């Protein structure tokens, strides 16, 4: 497995490098000053008069403390001065072990079941999501993001398979459905005014058809009568037949005519029969099932997916489509309901908690192994360098503090010895 460089964190690496160099120079400069003071006080014991011994002791202790901390800090990332000193270059040499321990640490301390459940309960995701979706602009943005995914998802699907599944599903649902209550409600829901308009349209259609086909009616009457019947009789019979049909249509056109009332009553009776007569229900459902077996009906049901796919694709691709607006309105309504309905929020949070736990908990070990594997693939040198960039500035303060504290301890010990 080839090593890969430690990934950049997105921060300004150059600024980090400059800060590290600046603080490293400060720590090294302070150490150089202590070395110079120590050398000067050793060469000239009268330089500071009676205080020279105190200054030399402080500089000597500062020198020791600064060198020790420089060695400790450097040993974390590399071998000091390139020398093969044991237990140096700790991070590069132990990178794989660090990755393994990091994976175990995350698994134990971040993916523990109790912590996952507690964290999910404390987030209040449903409340936050409801507040965000209730804003119209956010709902439109979310609808746009969802709609943008739909065409690609539809293009990636198996049209033939989905078309067959939709056909089978709709057929099964229709076959299992009892149409009797629906038909009864539909008939009962038609107001009398609509029935009157429907009858009037039918009457107008019948009148037009009768006028257009008067010649054919005369011809049919003549064909049906015997050859020896005079044509005048044929014409009279046809005329009386046409006149009778006109009279019937006129009766139906009159809203107050008994025939019209009888038609309305027949609709009511049909509704009652569908509702109360089991044989009517069996007959209607038998007709429905025979129709579902017709190949043309099955082909029509198969085309439902094509129409739905075309409608979804067109609506999703157009920024100002009714589909996107309806989706945005639905999301906004969901947001408002989440804000107002505490039971719904609790139900959503519980489902999310169970879903996240069901995904994370069984995969805890795999997540830890993944972290270990990723760290193992990092290049040791670049990993140490990157970690030093992140924490090196603070480690240089350890060197500075070691130098200063060493000087203070040296001075105190000198004073105690000469007290």
């Amino acid at each position: 497995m080839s090593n890969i460089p430690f990934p950049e964190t997105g921060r300004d690496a150059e600024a980090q490098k400059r800060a590290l160099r600046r603080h490293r120079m400060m720590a090294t400069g302070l150490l150089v000053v202590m070395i110079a003071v120590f050398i000067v006080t050793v060469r000239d014991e009268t330089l500071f008069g009676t205080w020279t011994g105190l200054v030399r002791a402080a500089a000597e202790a500062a020198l020791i403390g600064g060198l020790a901390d420089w060695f400790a800090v450097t040993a974390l990332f590399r071998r000091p001065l390139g020398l093969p000193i044991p237990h140096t270059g700790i991070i590069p040499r132990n990178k794989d072990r660090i990755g393994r321990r990091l994976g175990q640490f995350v698994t134990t301390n971040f993916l523990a079941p109790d912590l996952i459940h507690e964290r999910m309960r404390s987030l209040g995701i449903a409340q936050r999501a409801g507040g965000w979706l209730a804003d119209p602009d956010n709902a439109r943005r979310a609808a746009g993001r969802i709609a943008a995914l739909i065409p690609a998802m539809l293009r990636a699907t198996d049209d033939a398979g989905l078309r067959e599944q939709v056909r089978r599903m709709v057929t099964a649902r229709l076959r299992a459905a009892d149409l009797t209550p629906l038909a009864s409600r539909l008939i009962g829901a038609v107001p009398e005014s609509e029935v009157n308009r429907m009858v009037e349209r039918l009457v107008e259609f019948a009148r037009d058809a009768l006028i257009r086909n008067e010649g054919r009616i005369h011809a049919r009457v003549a064909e049906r009568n015997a050859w020896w019947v005079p044509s005048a009789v044929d014409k009279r019979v046809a005329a009386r037949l046409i006149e009778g049909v006109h009279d019937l249509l006129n009766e139906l056109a009159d809203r107050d005519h008994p025939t019209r009332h009888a038609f309305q009553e027949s609709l009511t009776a049909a509704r009652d029969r569908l509702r109360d007569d089991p044989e009517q229900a069996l007959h209607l459902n038998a007709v429905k099932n025979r129709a579902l077996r017709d190949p043309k009906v099955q082909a029509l049901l198969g085309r439902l997916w094509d129409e739905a796919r075309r409608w979804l694709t067109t609506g999703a691709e157009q920024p100002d489509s009714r589909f996107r607006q309806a989706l945005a309105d639905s999301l906004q309504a969901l947001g408002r309901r989440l804000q107002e309905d505490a039971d719904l929020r609790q139900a959503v949070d519980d489902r999310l908690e169970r879903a996240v736990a069901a995904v994370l908990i069984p995969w805890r070990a795999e997540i830890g192994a993944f972290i270990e594997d990723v760290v193992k693939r990092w290049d040791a040198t670049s990993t140490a360098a990157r970690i030093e960039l992140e924490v090196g500035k603070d480690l240089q303060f350890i060197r500075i503090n070691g130098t200063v504290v060493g000087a203070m301890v040296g001075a105190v010990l000198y004073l105690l010895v000469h007290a």
Side-chain angles (χ1 to χ4, degrees), residues 251-262:
E251 292 175 0
L252 290 176
D254 185 2
R255 295 189 177 187
D256 296 326
H257 197 277
T259 304
R260 186 71 164 268
H261 293 298

Side-chain angles (χ1 to χ4, degrees), residues 24 27-28 31 63-83 85 395-396 398-400 402-403:
R24 185 181 289 163
T28 303
L31 182 60
L63 177 59
I64 295 172
L67 286 173
D69 285 338
W70 167 82
F71 181 89
V73 170
T74 304
L76 287 173
F77 306 103
R78 64 188 67 85
R79 290 178 171 179
L81 303 177
L83 300 175
I85 303 173
L395 294 178
Q396 300 309 311
I398 292 178
R399 292 178 56 193
I400 294 172
T403 304

Side-chain angles (χ1 to χ4, degrees), residues 131-173:
W132 191 82
L133 287 174
D135 184 273
D137 294 334
N138 293 335
R140 280 194 295 270
R141 281 197 293 270
R145 296 289 180 84
I146 296 173
L149 296 175
I150 291 176
M153 294 173 61
L154 293 176
R155 284 191 291 268
T157 56
D158 178 12
D159 275 352
L162 275 175
R163 187 183 299 110
E164 180 64 17
Q165 289 182 15
V166 169
R167 184 191 67 78
R168 290 181 180 179
M169 181 184 67
V170 174
T171 301
R173 292 292 179 88

Side-chain angles (χ1 to χ4, degrees), residues 3-250:
N3 289 335
I4 59 175
F6 188 96
E8 294 290 339
T9 61
R11 297 174 58 187
D12 188 359
E14 290 300 322
Q16 288 180 303
K17 290 178 181 178
R18 289 194 297 270
L20 177 59
R21 284 195 298 267
R22 183 170 61 253
H23 288 82
R24 185 181 289 163
M25 290 177 61
M26 290 171 56
T28 303
L30 181 59
L31 182 60
V32 170
V33 170
M34 293 299 104
I35 292 174
V37 171
F38 176 72
I39 294 174
V40 169
T41 53
V42 168
R43 290 174 62 91
D44 187 356
E45 297 182 357
T46 62
L47 181 63
F48 298 103
T50 58
W51 297 100
T52 302
L54 176 64
V55 173
R56 182 174 65 240
E60 182 179 5
L63 177 59
I64 295 172
L67 286 173
D69 285 338
W70 167 82
F71 181 89
V73 170
T74 304
L76 287 173
F77 306 103
R78 64 188 67 85
R79 290 178 171 179
L81 303 177
L83 300 175
I85 303 173
H87 303 294
T88 57
I90 294 173
I91 290 177
R93 287 195 306 106
N94 295 277
K95 174 180 64 67
D96 295 347
R97 183 163 60 90
I98 293 172
R100 183 168 58 254
R101 294 295 175 84
L102 180 60
Q104 295 172 352
F105 180 80
V106 171
T107 300
T108 304
N109 296 280
F110 290 90
L111 299 179
D114 293 342
L115 291 176
I116 292 174
H117 287 288
E118 180 184 353
R119 183 58 177 170
M120 290 300 299
R121 284 192 293 269
S122 67
L123 288 177
I125 295 177
Q127 179 70 40
R128 296 183 182 184
W132 191 82
L133 287 174
D135 184 273
D137 294 334
N138 293 335
R140 280 194 295 270
R141 281 197 293 270
R145 296 289 180 84
I146 296 173
L149 296 175
I150 291 176
M153 294 173 61
L154 293 176
R155 284 191 291 268
T157 56
D158 178 12
D159 275 352
L162 275 175
R163 187 183 299 110
E164 180 64 17
Q165 289 182 15
V166 169
R167 184 191 67 78
R168 290 181 180 179
M169 181 184 67
V170 174
T171 301
R173 292 292 179 88
L174 290 176
R175 187 172 285 118
D178 184 6
L179 297 185
T180 307
L182 176 61
S184 177
R185 285 195 295 269
L186 286 176
I187 294 175
V190 178
E192 185 176 353
S193 59
E194 291 296 330
V195 174
N196 290 329
R197 280 194 289 269
M198 179 178 65
V199 172
E200 289 166 0
R201 292 193 186 98
L202 289 174
V203 168
E204 292 175 2
F205 176 79
R207 281 174 176 169
D208 293 339
L210 186 62
I211 293 172
R212 289 194 305 268
N213 293 281
E214 284 186 0
R216 295 181 63 185
I217 293 173
H218 281 281
R220 285 298 182 90
V221 170
E223 291 174 1
R224 297 294 178 90
N225 285 337
W227 61 270
W228 46 268
V229 175
S231 59
V233 175
D234 292 339
K235 291 179 181 179
R236 185 167 182 79
V237 170
R240 294 296 300 270
L241 178 62
I242 293 171
E243 183 181 354
V245 174
H246 273 296
D247 290 341
L248 177 60
L249 293 176
N250 289 332

